[in-house]
Amino acid sequence: MQHARRFLYQSGGVRLAPQTRSERHLSGSEREEISRGIAAGESARQLAKRLGRSPSTVSREIARNGGRDRYRAAPADAAAYERGRRSKQAKLAQRPALRTLVEAKLALCWSPEQIAGWLRRQFPGDASMQISHEAIYLSLYGPRRRQAIDRSLTQRLRSGRPMRHPKIARRPTGRGIILGMVSITARPAEVEDRKVPGHWEGDPVMGGAASNWRLPSRRSRRATSTGCRPTIRRISLR
């Protein structure tokens, strides 16, 4: 498995299938119908009903291609094909100033989420100097964006891993799981009045690899501290 990952990392990933236009997108003939319908004075809702499309789809198509006065089918179809081409150049590769800022913050061990939030605050009205945290992750790990950013900066991330694993592929490690946990709503009513001895409640005092727990008795309020060794990952309280 590691050899396969190394090969994919070095070769740039899996070869992509040739680009095809999805049936969900408007075709060239549909754009011709929209152009003729505009010339005939039809509304976007009438055009959508005739084409079997959503009115919002037709309205966006007309608006993004010059409006009703300047809409032309052939240029609109060519522009749609160009927008859908893959792969597109990453934003960090297009804007050197933004790339310099992102690389500087990554070198300081900032997370992509922190960098994205900082850029929004520093450049509130400049979209060219803003980027999402997911775009930073894709520039660091995406095989099709090899020239967008210095990939050695993955070592400055908190995970430090050279490849990114999708969330669906992550397996649970067992951390944070209490075995045999009973909901607080299932405790007996005698616990509330503190008349019966023997009931305890647990409070974590210190977190981390080695944790301390404080176990006070609900009747006497006397506390007992317990320590958990770093090797213990699961705690069962009954």
Side-chain angles (χ1 to χ4, degrees), residues 91-92 95-102 115-116 118-132:
K91 188 173 184 178
L92 291 177
R95 308 195 177 278
L98 179 60
R99 171 179 175 171
T100 301
L101 282 177
V102 172
I115 297 172
W118 179 79
L119 288 172
R120 286 193 296 269
R121 292 191 297 271
Q122 291 293 117
F123 308 97
D126 190 358
S128 64
M129 292 299 294
Q130 298 180 21
I131 190 171
S132 67

Side-chain angles (χ1 to χ4, degrees), residues 115-192:
I115 297 172
W118 179 79
L119 288 172
R120 286 193 296 269
R121 292 191 297 271
Q122 291 293 117
F123 308 97
D126 190 358
S128 64
M129 292 299 294
Q130 298 180 21
I131 190 171
S132 67
H133 68 277
E134 184 62 26
I136 300 176
Y137 277 119
L138 289 175
S139 298
L140 287 169
Y141 291 108
R144 294 176 292 180
R145 307 189 184 193
R146 299 180 67 87
Q147 307 300 326
I149 199 172
D150 183 7
R151 294 202 165 202
S152 64
L153 291 171
T154 55
Q155 302 175 6
R156 309 296 291 177
L157 296 177
R158 290 162 189 171
S159 63
R161 56 177 178 263
M163 295 186 68
R164 190 183 185 194
H165 303 283
K167 290 183 178 181
I168 194 173
R170 299 173 190 169
R171 297 180 179 179
T173 60
R175 293 186 299 176
I177 299 177
I178 300 177
L179 297 178
M181 182 177 64
V182 179
S183 174
I184 194 172
T185 59
R187 64 182 182 179
E190 61 191 25
V191 178
E192 300 296 337

